[in-house]
Amino acid sequence: MKLYSKKDGEIVEQVHSWLQSARDSSKDWRKEARENYDFYAGRHWTQEEVAAMEEDLRNAVTFNRITPLVDAIAGHQINNRAEVRFLPRQIGDAQVSEVLTGAGKWVEDEADTDDEEEEIFQDLIITGMAWSECRMSYDEDIDGQVIPGERFSPLEAYWDPNSSRRNLSDAKWRGRGRWMNRDDALAKWPDLDEVDWTSDKFISQDEADDEPHNAARSHFYENDSRQWYNKHKDEVFILHVQWWEHESIYRIGDPVSGKLLELSSSKFKKLQEYVESNGIQYVKQMRRTYYYAFIAGPTVLEKGKNPWEKGFTLQCATGKRDATKGDWFGVVRALKDPQKWSNKFLSDLQDMIVSNRQGGAFVEETALVDTRKAEEDWNRSNPLILVRDGALQRGAIVERNPPALPPALDRMLEYCITAIPAVSGINQEFMGYADREQPNVLEMSRKWAAINVLASMFSSLRKYRKDRARAMLHMIRTYMNDGRLIRIVGGDGLERFIPLALDPGTEDYDIVIDEASTSPNQKEETFGVMMALMPYLVQAGIAPPVEVLDYMPLPASFIGKWKETLQPKGPTKQDQMLEAAAGATVAKDQADAMLKQVQARKMAAEAQAQELENEAVRLGLVSIEDL
């Protein structure tokens, strides 16, 4: 099936069928995800449970131990940030690789990608899924700005229920359903005002309020008027769907240049007879081409080839997989039952201590002056209870001993507290709570043991970063390769502004995800090793490189001034600026020259293809009208 070639109505039919199947398969996951977010926020009791306890004059005690544990895991990711580097596959592309790596860092810095990634990893820990979108934005920069990974709620996401591989890498399609402000949607899609909402075909029965992101529930009726209505006032529900299709391509060996020419099926059919009659080698291949569509109700607002034709720009990271149900889960799933048990235990313990604090008494009817007042004051800390003369001497009042608490209560309480980190595999060393003396080697060993429990999460995040980097590279090369000045940091640590003008012919790069040298953990470990080696380097007469300053736990401004004092005396700052400007001009000229060379090669290839077509016409294999 080739969905993109179908009419809009058929596309909507297929998309709604996809989303219906996704909604059915992920309904339980969505309910659990909402509950997980509540537990992270400290809402551990249901409304029914709170009402029942208030009726019994009891407190719903909540000691939230899930939030610090999740924050500790997220903090480990924050303190071990990664950076993307592009390594060339062709000789001579090393300089271009540095420009691309610098451009990637600049794009991520401009889009605050680190902040987005923090929330993405937190979603992964809490719900088992995290989602983002790589897109172009023209809101702040009229020339366009790449947003490498804009986080959106996992509850807005829909995906192919047949996919089972990490990060949904084998998914046929992915989608996002969200409520948009009506004015913003009309500004982007003016045809939205003409959408026919009277078609019963796309109306489904309203579901529970806890399912706000329901694809099939596109609109509702109010007072039987045929008008779009939903509980989100002045908003419309927009579906963003991406999918891939297999398409045939033909690669023909050019007998003149020896290069391979890539032709679509339609073009190849016109030249097939000539190619086969002349013994020209060719091969047929199938490749994926990615498409997208924006849909509102029964109407396709926008469709076309995906901005990145080789992959999804709606990107996902997944946690651990529930093989039975086919969904994904994070760390919080295992923490909820111990947390509920701890809350219930502490609540019952509090009620037990409060209600049996004094234990009551056996009193003769005539022993007290005011029986009701004595009953009210009995459990106070400093009561003054009046008794009749002689009541105490004759033993008219006998205090009842309070019931003893269970002997193993302290052990039960300790078990409740330790059960929460135990089920997650996160030990006290990882949390920084270990208060016992132990060797540093043992401390680090236990900390890394806890990190190993989370290895699958970090592996998914690493794969997500690679996918995001590939999409970002394509966006940079396609939409930002216009000679604009970008800021990159050279190997000497100095910032430079260079024009972004890349040769379109250099496209093959390996994506390397490496730990950023500026991450706190990396700086601390490197500085510790350098301090241990420094005495031996000094004795050997080896001067440490100036880059050692980058790893010192000092303010960046202070380190920058220190590095300036260590730089050799040379031209003034103004001369350096002029030199940098001249270098930028030279680089721009070189880039223009490279671009002209690529354009010349492209024109030569087109000319060769035209010669093949002319030869086919001359031999009468095809007509001019066919071409």
Side-chain angles (χ1 to χ4, degrees):
M1 175 190 66
K2 193 169 183 178
L3 185 59
Y4 183 67
S5 62
K6 289 181 174 290
K7 297 180 180 179
D8 287 356
E10 295 173 309
I11 293 179
V12 172
E13 279 276 6
Q14 181 63 75
V15 168
H16 274 246
S17 175
W18 282 345
L19 293 172
Q20 182 66 37
S21 64
R23 183 189 62 183
D24 294 341
S25 64
S26 64
K27 186 175 182 179
D28 292 340
W29 176 87
R30 294 178 188 280
K31 182 178 180 180
E32 180 185 349
R34 289 184 177 88
E35 187 180 64
N36 291 351
Y37 279 125
D38 285 340
F39 267 77
Y40 175 76
R43 293 186 292 272
H44 300 172
W45 299 85
T46 65
Q47 294 181 358
E48 293 78 9
E49 291 171 338
V50 173
M53 298 191 72
E54 289 178 350
E55 185 177 354
D56 294 338
L57 301 179
R58 298 171 58 188
N59 292 326
V61 179
T62 300
F63 285 83
N64 189 358
R65 295 184 177 89
I66 291 181
T67 298
L69 195 146
V70 171
D71 290 344
I73 300 173
H76 180 77
Q77 181 269 329
I78 294 173
N79 290 328
N80 291 272
R81 298 189 187 278
E83 61 182 7
V84 178
R85 292 188 290 119
F86 300 101
L87 300 183
R89 295 180 183 175
Q90 291 88 9
I91 299 176
D93 288 345
Q95 186 175 2
V96 181
S97 171
E98 290 186 15
V99 174
L100 278 177
T101 301
K105 293 180 180 178
W106 177 73
V107 165
E108 291 179 342
D109 184 58
E110 291 292 308
D112 297 326
T113 305
D114 286 341
D115 296 333
E116 297 288 333
E117 201 165 87
E118 291 175 17
E119 296 188 35
I120 288 171
F121 189 65
Q122 194 175 81
D123 287 336
L124 183 63
I125 299 169
I126 296 174
T127 69
M129 297 193 82
W131 288 81
S132 72
E133 180 179 5
C134 181
R135 63 182 181 88
M136 288 294 298
S137 173
Y138 298 90
D139 294 337
E140 299 179 2
D141 189 347
I142 195 173
D143 294 327
Q145 176 188 6
V146 176
I147 310 296
E150 184 179 54
R151 178 259 179 193
F152 63 89
S153 172
L155 298 175
E156 295 181 355
Y158 296 90
W159 60 92
D160 183 0
N162 296 318
S163 59
S164 59
R165 300 183 64 181
R166 174 174 291 174
N167 293 8
L168 305 181
S169 58
D170 58 339
K172 170 71 176 180
W173 62 272
R174 300 176 183 181
R176 178 187 183 186
R178 56 173 172 162
W179 295 99
M180 290 185 62
N181 180 275
R182 188 178 184 87
D183 293 336
D184 293 342
L186 283 172
K188 187 172 184 179
W189 301 290
D191 294 340
L192 183 63
D193 203 23
E194 303 175 2
V195 171
D196 178 19
W197 303 112
T198 64
S199 174
D200 293 338
K201 191 173 186 179
F202 301 100
I203 298 175
S204 65
Q205 184 178 0
D206 188 12
E207 292 187 313
D209 290 338
D210 62 346
E211 294 287 342
H213 302 288
N214 185 345
R217 182 171 50 126
S218 299
H219 52 284
F220 318 108
Y221 288 133
E222 182 181 3
N223 299 327
D224 270 342
S225 60
R226 296 289 180 169
Q227 300 293 329
W228 171 289
Y229 173 78
N230 57 61
K231 64 180 180 180
H232 304 263
K233 186 178 179 181
D234 299 326
E235 292 182 335
V236 292
F237 190 77
I238 304 296
L239 300 175
H240 179 194
V241 185
Q242 297 179 355
W243 69 91
W244 57 262
E245 301 170 10
H246 274 129
E247 295 186 350
S248 302
I249 62 168
Y250 292 84
R251 306 187 72 182
I252 301 176
D254 188 349
V256 178
S257 63
K259 298 182 179 180
L260 293 176
L261 301 179
E262 188 175 297
L263 301 177
S264 62
S265 297
S266 58
K267 286 189 175 182
F268 178 77
K269 288 180 180 178
K270 299 174 183 178
L271 298 174
Q272 182 175 4
E273 186 176 351
Y274 171 76
V275 170
E276 292 178 349
S277 62
N278 286 271
I280 299 177
Q281 298 293 323
Y282 70 91
V283 61
K284 178 182 178 180
Q285 294 180 339
M286 301 294 292
R287 71 175 179 188
R288 292 181 179 181
T289 302
Y290 288 75
Y291 298 94
Y292 78 95
F294 286 92
I295 298 175
T299 302
V300 177
L301 302 175
E302 184 182 341
K303 64 181 180 180
K305 287 189 176 181
N306 216 31
W308 181 32
E309 296 181 14
K310 296 183 179 180
F312 295 108
T313 55
L314 296 176
Q315 296 175 334
C316 174
T318 57
K320 301 177 182 179
R321 186 168 185 268
D322 186 335
T324 303
K325 301 183 69 174
D327 56 15
W328 308 86
F329 64 94
V331 176
V332 175
R333 172 183 283 190
L335 299 176
K336 289 190 296 185
D337 282 345
Q339 179 68 69
K340 290 179 181 178
W341 183 33
S342 175
N343 292 340
K344 185 67 167 59
F345 184 86
L346 291 172
S347 180
D348 291 343
L349 179 60
Q350 182 190 52
D351 180 67
M352 186 186 306
I353 294 174
V354 170
S355 61
N356 297 291
R357 181 169 53 186
Q358 297 297 332
F362 298 100
V363 183
E364 292 183 1
E365 187 176 357
T366 60
L368 300 174
V369 175
D370 188 340
T371 304
R372 182 174 296 276
K373 187 176 187 304
E375 182 179 357
E376 292 176 355
D377 295 342
W378 187 267
N379 286 330
R380 293 183 180 177
S381 58
N382 55 349
L384 179 61
I385 302 175
L386 297 178
V387 300
R388 297 187 185 278
D389 295 340
L392 297 178
Q393 284 79 1
R394 70 174 185 269
I397 301 174
V398 179
E399 187 174 0
R400 185 176 60 183
N401 293 327
L405 296 177
L409 190 63
D410 56 341
R411 293 196 296 272
M412 290 290 294
L413 180 59
E414 182 181 359
Y415 187 78
C416 286
I417 296 174
T418 58
I420 295 177
V423 298
S424 66
I426 307 302
N427 52 34
Q428 299 294 318
E429 284 77 11
F430 183 87
M431 299 286 292
Y433 293 164
D435 56 355
R436 55 183 175 273
E437 295 184 1
Q438 57 185 353
N440 184 58
V441 175
L442 179 59
E443 178 98 8
M444 293 303 300
S445 176
R446 289 178 174 174
K447 183 176 181 179
W448 280 108
I451 295 176
N452 291 337
V453 176
L454 304 169
S456 61
M457 297 286 184
F458 289 103
S459 179
S460 295
L461 182 65
R462 184 181 182 86
K463 179 174 174 55
Y464 158 80
R465 284 168 172 161
K466 283 188 175 183
D467 294 337
R468 178 176 61 77
R470 294 186 183 99
M472 178 180 67
L473 174 61
H474 175 80
M475 295 287 191
I476 292 174
R477 300 181 62 85
T478 305
Y479 301 103
M480 297 184 64
N481 192 20
D482 51 10
R484 70 181 71 186
L485 291 178
I486 64 171
R487 183 187 73 252
I488 66 172
V489 180
D492 53 4
L494 299 178
E495 294 184 347
R496 295 181 176 86
F497 287 87
I498 65 170
L500 184 59
L502 305 171
D503 184 357
T506 56
E507 295 184 354
D508 294 331
Y509 286 88
D510 289 327
I511 309 295
V512 176
I513 306 296
D514 196 7
E515 185 175 1
S517 59
T518 56
S519 64
N521 284 6
Q522 180 72 3
K523 292 178 67 174
E524 180 182 354
E525 293 176 6
T526 304
F527 186 72
V529 173
M530 289 301 301
M531 288 298 96
L533 293 176
M534 197 64 68
Y536 303 100
L537 295 177
V538 173
Q539 292 179 4
I542 302 175
V546 69
E547 286 77 13
V548 173
L549 299 177
D550 294 330
Y551 297 92
M552 297 185 69
L554 297 172
S557 58
F558 180 78
I559 292 177
K561 293 179 180 180
W562 193 350
K563 292 174 69 175
E564 287 181 3
T565 61
L566 297 178
Q567 294 291 336
K569 302 298 181 180
T572 63
K573 189 173 184 180
Q574 183 178 5
D575 293 338
Q576 293 177 354
M577 294 176 62
L578 293 174
E579 183 180 355
T585 303
V586 173
K588 181 66 168 62
D589 294 340
Q590 293 176 349
D592 291 339
M594 294 173 63
L595 180 61
K596 290 180 180 179
Q597 293 177 1
V598 173
Q599 291 175 344
R601 291 198 296 267
K602 181 179 179 182
M603 292 176 61
E606 292 176 349
Q608 292 174 359
Q610 186 63 41
E611 289 179 2
L612 288 175
E613 293 180 353
N614 294 338
E615 184 67 16
V617 172
R618 186 182 66 80
L619 296 175
L621 299 176
V622 294
S623 63
I624 297 179
E625 291 77 7
D626 294 336
L627 296 176

